[in-house]
Structure formats: C-alpha cells, structure tokens
Amino acid sequence: MTDILQTFKKIAIDAITAQKLTNIVHGTVVNTNPLQVQIDQKLILNENHLQLTRAVKDHEVEMSIDNGAKQIYKVYNGLLQGDKVTMIRAHGGQQFLIIDKEVVK
C-alpha cells in the first residue's frame, strides 16, 4: 500500500512540476490609452489582461530632504509608448503583471 501512495505522490508532484505556473515575458508598450503591450508579432495584450505594479505607474511619495519638513513628491514612472517591459504571466496565461521597465541602452 505504501508503494501505491508513493507512486501517486510522485505522479502528482511531477504533474505540478511539469506545469509552468508562472513565467517571465517581455513586451513592448504599443499604446498607453488604452494600455496595450505586444509580446510577439501576433499577440497584443489589452488592459483587461494587464496588472501594473507601482514601479510602472505615476504615484506620490511623502519624504523629506535633509531632515526638513515632509513633503509630497510625484514620481513619474508611468508607461510610455515604446517602453520595453518585463512581466510575469500568471498560470493559465490570462493575466500578466508588469513588474518593471527594462533598461534599454
């Protein structure tokens, strides 16, 4: 009986390992309003399939300089047409999380 359980356990672990639960995808922003990212010659993702991290959005931060009074500053990290981005594809391939812009020299 123990051999059967071990066999089932190995089959289950191998099946999970064989699936790509997530993977890294690279793309190019082709439009910002509405947001669209092209990941290959034929596939363009629209904003329904994209989630953004703070690293690729304009946002405000509260900070002080030289221990002075705290002030609100705006950080301009929003995506622009032509930006190269790194994304994580969620299991099933329906959702993509844009984690950062790529540095292109």
Side-chain angles (χ1 to χ4, degrees), residues 16-23 88-93:
I16 291 171
T17 303
Q19 293 182 10
K20 290 186 175 180
L21 298 179
T22 61
N23 65 337
I88 298 174
R89 181 187 65 87
H91 178 62

Side-chain angles (χ1 to χ4, degrees), residues 3-17:
D3 291 338
I4 293 173
L5 292 176
Q6 291 299 326
T7 301
F8 282 134
K9 182 177 177 182
K10 182 177 180 344
I11 290 170
I13 290 171
D14 289 347
I16 291 171
T17 303

Side-chain angles (χ1 to χ4, degrees), residues 77-91:
N77 276 351
L79 294 170
L80 302 173
Q81 187 172 353
D83 280 347
K84 307 290 185 194
V85 294
T86 302
M87 301 178 283
I88 298 174
R89 181 187 65 87
H91 178 62

Side-chain angles (χ1 to χ4, degrees), residues 53-94:
T53 63
R54 190 169 152 168
V56 294
K57 294 169 66 174
D58 292 344
H59 61 278
E60 294 181 346
V61 294
E62 182 179 28
M63 57 189 280
S64 65
I65 298 175
D66 295 329
N67 295 322
K70 290 184 181 179
Q71 295 183 11
I72 303 290
Y73 293 92
K74 185 155 188 171
V75 178
Y76 295 96
N77 276 351
L79 294 170
L80 302 173
Q81 187 172 353
D83 280 347
K84 307 290 185 194
V85 294
T86 302
M87 301 178 283
I88 298 174
R89 181 187 65 87
H91 178 62
Q94 297 299 313

Side-chain angles (χ1 to χ4, degrees), residues 5-43:
L5 292 176
Q6 291 299 326
T7 301
F8 282 134
K9 182 177 177 182
K10 182 177 180 344
I11 290 170
I13 290 171
D14 289 347
I16 291 171
T17 303
Q19 293 182 10
K20 290 186 175 180
L21 298 179
T22 61
N23 65 337
I24 301 296
V25 179
H26 302 278
T28 303
V29 176
V30 293
N31 196 7
T32 57
N33 193 13
L35 181 58
Q36 295 179 315
V37 176
Q38 184 171 5
I39 59 173
D40 62 32
Q41 290 181 351
K42 297 179 184 177
L43 183 58

